[in-house]
Amino acid sequence: MADMKRVIREAAERCDLVITTGGLGPTEDDLTRQAIADVAGVELEFRPELMAEIGDMFRRSGYTMPENNRKQAFVPAGSEVISNRWGPLPPSSLD
């Protein structure tokens, strides 16, 4: 986590736009979302509309959503979420 935050902080200081990949899944080792929130100085917030989209994706696929996928509905406060019609991972950005 410390390394991720250091790299994100350095990138943000050097660039107008930082793009990251990964870290949006429901597993414990997905740290990107929290690292970005920490660097931005914001909390993760639950977005019910994202939870609905994620649940709908599982239902359309004929699967029962595991409880750990709820984690994917938490995004850094103030971020703009971009709808992802191809899977359960909602990309987001901070302005």
Side-chain angles (χ1 to χ4, degrees), residues 32-82:
T32 306
R33 165 187 25 243
Q34 186 64 57
I36 291 170
D38 289 351
V39 170
V42 299
E43 298 291 323
L44 293 176
E45 66 181 9
F46 179 74
R47 301 270 182 96
E49 69 278 12
L50 294 179
M51 188 72 261
E53 284 182 34
I54 294 165
D56 287 345
M57 190 279 309
F58 275 94
R59 280 187 289 286
R60 284 192 312 271
S61 299
Y63 293 101
T64 301
M65 186 190 82
E67 183 59 31
N68 64 329
N69 282 82
R70 180 178 166 79
K71 179 179 179 181
Q72 293 172 292
F74 285 84
V75 297
S79 63
E80 179 182 340
V81 175
I82 302 165

Side-chain angles (χ1 to χ4, degrees), residues 5-51:
K5 291 196 289 190
R6 179 182 50 77
V7 169
I8 293 166
R9 191 173 292 111
E10 288 174 5
E13 290 170 358
R14 295 173 41 203
C15 305
D16 292 329
L17 174 67
V18 177
I19 299 172
T20 63
T21 61
L24 298 175
T27 61
E28 293 299 316
D29 62 343
D30 283 332
L31 304 176
T32 306
R33 165 187 25 243
Q34 186 64 57
I36 291 170
D38 289 351
V39 170
V42 299
E43 298 291 323
L44 293 176
E45 66 181 9
F46 179 74
R47 301 270 182 96
E49 69 278 12
L50 294 179
M51 188 72 261

